[in-house]
Amino acid sequence: METEIGGLRQSRSQCLQQGDFELSDVFYFSKKGFEAIVEDEVTQRFSSEELISWNLLTRTNYNFQYVSWRVTLIWVLGVFIRYCILLPLRVTLATIGISWLVIGATLVGQLPNSSAKRWLSELVHLVCCRICARALSSAIQYHNKENRPKKGGICVANHTSPIDIIILANDGCYAMVGQIHGGLMGVIQRAMVRACPHVWFERSEMRDRHLVTKRLTEHVSDKTKLPILIFPEGTCINNTSVMMFKKGSFEIGGTIYPVAIKYDPQFGDAFWNSSKHSMVSYLLRMMTSWALKCNVWYLPPVTREEGEDAVHFANRVKSAIAKQGGLVELDWDGGLKRDRVKESFKEEQQKNYSKIIVGEHNSFQKTTN
């Protein structure tokens, strides 16, 4: 800001350049406003990633050009394969995986607490998650497995889709954190918590920040419990960037295990736009894609440094994940997907401009004196 505003003032007199408000300063803010509209860094992160070449999945009339009958025939053949062959097989596998998870977790939950119960619980979770991953034709490559999250720790990862949980649970077991739901999801949650100490909250409890922090801290302090899986962005991003990490996950304490997840959209777009697609339509779209290909990187564990606050710690972890996954690092809050820009963001820019005016004015007075 200071450099660009200084450039606008170069043609002015020395007196006006030092600390006085200039009407030309408005051009800087106007320019930034137009750039924000034309090159919006936020809203474009909530739409599907653009592909370099067509993957035979979707057709559109946008900028329509003539396509040969051969390409159309290939697309029709692909629709038949995806909907008439792959979809029934995948639905069958998903049904088996979910059914085994509910039945297995319920049976294991009847056993007394012991090391045998924990082993069986982890086995049930791992097998069922791998079946569900096969239902999506997942091709996952895990890197640096020596850094996999350990018990008593907190696993944080960038968030693209609800399927992220299956991707990570395919290689290890985690304690989930979330709100209690009804319907089929509620049945699964109740079965899982009988066999493993997951952290579920009522809707009213989710708003009690101190209660949430207390429950998570108690879980982390027990080194026999599974690592907690948290997505600090709080919403799904289209896998091209990493947005602001909420600081709450980094105030708990303990060891943080960063994980970077990067999907290959060439075989299927894993991004879930919750404001556009329901969960059912999203799962249908995923099960009629060609495959789900992604890379997962386990980064070295990190802890909060002495004198480091939760915000800086969260940003440090976010930078490491973005760098490893080849993602763009953004400071914007993912909550802007549905909410207006916070007043604190506007006030921060106002304060920065005020510092420029006051700072230059003070330096000019010292020079003249």
Side-chain angles (χ1 to χ4, degrees):
M1 180 188 292
E2 186 175 359
T3 304
E4 294 192 36
I5 290 179
L8 292 171
R9 294 184 172 199
Q10 285 180 355
S11 60
R12 301 297 179 180
S13 65
Q14 184 67 20
C15 179
L16 288 176
Q17 290 183 42
Q18 302 295 337
D20 291 331
F21 169 76
E22 266 291 289
L23 188 59
S24 61
D25 295 349
V26 176
F27 291 116
Y28 166 79
F29 296 102
S30 300
K31 174 175 172 287
K32 289 299 180 182
F34 287 126
E35 288 178 352
I37 295 173
V38 176
E39 300 178 1
D40 186 2
E41 286 187 332
V42 179
T43 54
Q44 65 179 339
R45 308 300 173 180
F46 304 124
S47 58
S48 297
E49 182 179 359
E50 293 185 5
L51 298 178
I52 298 177
S53 58
W54 182 40
N55 58 3
L56 302 179
L57 285 178
T58 57
R59 296 298 297 270
T60 176
N61 290 327
Y62 180 71
N63 289 335
F64 177 80
Q65 295 180 355
Y66 172 73
V67 180
S68 68
W69 64 269
R70 295 182 182 87
V71 175
T72 302
L73 182 61
I74 293 173
W75 177 73
V76 172
L77 179 62
V79 170
F80 174 79
I81 294 173
R82 290 187 289 113
Y83 281 85
C84 299
I85 299 177
L86 295 180
L87 180 59
L89 293 175
R90 290 171 175 173
V91 170
T92 302
L93 280 175
T95 303
I96 293 173
I98 294 173
S99 301
W100 284 14
L101 177 61
V102 173
I103 296 171
T106 302
L107 294 176
V108 172
Q110 306 305 315
L111 300 175
N113 291 328
S114 62
S115 58
K117 178 182 179 179
R118 289 192 292 269
W119 180 80
L120 286 173
S121 173
E122 293 178 15
L123 180 63
V124 168
H125 281 74
L126 194 61
V127 170
C128 294
C129 286
R130 287 180 175 176
I131 293 175
C132 291
R134 300 301 181 271
L136 297 170
S137 300
S138 302
I140 314 166
Q141 187 171 1
Y142 298 94
H143 306 270
N144 308 323
K145 287 192 174 185
E146 66 275 8
N147 295 326
R148 277 188 296 190
K150 295 179 173 56
K151 292 183 177 180
I154 302 173
C155 174
V156 298
N158 57 301
H159 198 23
T160 303
S161 158
I163 295 173
D164 295 340
I165 298 173
I166 297 177
I167 296 298
L168 294 177
N170 187 63
D171 191 47
C173 294
Y174 298 89
M176 309 300 174
V177 179
Q179 180 181 311
I180 296 176
H181 295 274
L184 177 61
M185 183 61 70
V187 173
I188 297 174
Q189 286 181 316
R190 288 191 292 272
M192 291 172 62
V193 79
R194 291 191 186 100
C196 178
H198 297 283
V199 186
W200 305 128
F201 296 94
E202 297 289 348
R203 180 183 294 271
S204 58
E205 294 176 334
M206 289 296 292
R207 299 170 183 171
D208 190 341
R209 182 176 174 184
H210 296 290
L211 177 61
V212 173
T213 302
K214 180 182 177 182
R215 292 274 303 276
L216 295 179
T217 303
E218 291 174 351
H219 185 102
V220 172
S221 61
D222 189 345
K223 300 304 178 183
T224 63
K225 292 183 177 180
L226 296 174
I228 295 177
L229 176 58
I230 297 178
F231 300 102
E233 288 170 298
T235 189
C236 295
I237 313 299
N238 69 354
N239 209 224
T240 61
S241 62
V242 180
M243 303 191 80
M244 186 183 79
F245 278 9
K246 305 292 193 300
K247 67 177 182 178
S249 309
F250 302 88
E251 293 176 331
I252 302 170
T255 304
I256 299 291
Y257 294 88
V259 176
I261 305 174
K262 179 63 178 176
Y263 293 92
D264 186 349
Q266 190 64 42
F267 301 96
D269 183 17
F271 170 60
W272 180 38
N273 188 347
S274 57
S275 60
K276 185 177 180 181
H277 302 287
S278 66
M279 177 61 76
V280 174
S281 63
Y282 169 74
L283 291 176
L284 176 63
R285 185 161 58 88
M286 291 307 305
M287 287 190 172
T288 54
S289 298
W290 293 113
L292 185 67
K293 185 178 185 301
C294 75
N295 286 277
V296 176
W297 290 272
Y298 297 111
L299 279 66
V302 293
T303 55
R304 191 167 165 179
E305 297 177 351
E306 186 177 354
E308 185 179 34
D309 60 25
V311 174
H312 286 86
F313 185 28
N315 289 334
R316 180 157 62 92
V317 174
K318 182 186 72 171
S319 298
I321 291 176
K323 181 178 180 181
Q324 181 63 73
L327 305 169
V328 178
E329 183 182 357
L330 298 175
D331 295 327
W332 295 102
D333 186 355
L336 292 173
K337 183 177 185 178
R338 299 179 181 88
D339 301 329
R340 292 180 177 271
V341 177
K342 294 181 179 179
E343 290 297 325
S344 58
F345 285 12
K346 300 178 184 178
E347 292 174 359
E348 183 179 355
Q349 296 300 319
Q350 293 170 356
K351 289 178 181 178
N352 290 337
Y353 181 66
S354 298
K355 289 178 182 178
I356 294 174
I357 298 297
V358 174
E360 290 184 346
H361 183 70
N362 292 338
S363 62
F364 177 69
Q365 283 186 334
K366 291 179 180 180
T367 304
T368 56
N369 292 336

